[in-house]
Amino acid sequence: MCSICLTVHAASGVALLTARKAGRPSGEEYASAGEYVCGDLARSLYVRGHRRAGCGCGRA
């Protein structure tokens, strides 16, 4: 599920986007943050209902 638009995708439909936190050494625990986002970056289409995501659950 995309953390931004809350669209449910199959496992291959999301990607983990990570970034380092400013001012933290790279070896330090919790030095980065991550969010799951739509893999095709079409979240605006999903939110407006112009595109449907396949949930990967066997339903159409």
Side-chain angles (χ1 to χ4, degrees):
M1 179 168 76
C2 176
S3 300
I4 298 172
C5 68
L6 305 177
T7 302
V8 177
H9 293 276
S12 62
V14 293
L16 180 62
L17 179 69
T18 61
R20 286 189 177 169
K21 292 182 179 178
R24 299 226 179 174
S26 62
E28 186 177 324
E29 192 171 351
Y30 306 114
S32 62
E35 292 286 333
Y36 286 101
V37 298
C38 298
D40 58 3
L41 300 177
R43 72 184 60 87
S44 65
L45 298 176
Y46 295 127
V47 171
R48 292 182 289 158
H50 293 292
R51 183 183 277 181
R52 289 184 55 142
C55 67
C57 59
R59 292 187 236 163

